[in-house]
Amino acid sequence: MLNTVINLFASSTGSKIILGLEIVAMIVAVVMVIVGLLQNKKSQTGLSAINGGNEELFSNSKERGMDKTLSIWMLSLGIVFFIVALVICILTNTIL
């Protein structure tokens, strides 16, 4: 009887933890989409090769200012999202 109550409590707490991590993953994903939309286009599309357009051939392609900051944010958010997704998978397979 006591073992059943403990398992029920652990399952309920585990479900709440997993739900919290899923909410964090969703928030991180939405922020990643927003940061991705704010970033400048780094490369031209494949269709510009047909037109012969290569406007950035001799330009300096080093990131500076806001572009660099957004790239760092995107990398950091990607790492956080990956870690949270792994933790969710591990907890789901272990607890539930």
Side-chain angles (χ1 to χ4, degrees):
M1 176 76 174
L2 181 62
N3 193 15
T4 307
V5 172
I6 291 173
N7 286 339
L8 182 63
F9 179 73
S11 176
S12 174
T13 305
S15 296
K16 290 178 185 176
I17 291 172
I18 292 172
L19 178 64
L21 286 172
E22 287 174 345
I23 291 171
V24 168
M26 188 178 297
I27 291 170
V28 170
V30 169
V31 173
M32 283 179 66
V33 168
I34 292 170
V35 170
L37 290 173
L38 290 174
Q39 283 182 330
N40 287 336
K41 205 165 51 165
K42 293 182 181 178
S43 64
Q44 295 181 356
T45 61
L47 294 177
S48 65
I50 295 172
N51 299 340
N54 196 3
E55 299 134 7
E56 297 181 11
L57 181 61
F58 298 109
S59 68
N60 189 2
S61 63
K62 195 174 199 180
E63 292 180 334
R64 292 191 173 113
M66 190 62 148
D67 290 336
K68 186 172 184 175
T69 304
L70 290 174
S71 292
I72 292 171
W73 271 97
M74 187 62 112
L75 178 66
S76 303
L77 288 169
I79 292 170
V80 168
F81 184 78
F82 182 73
I83 291 172
V84 169
L86 281 178
V87 169
I88 289 171
C89 287
I90 291 170
L91 287 178
T92 302
N93 290 330
T94 304
I95 294 174
L96 301 179

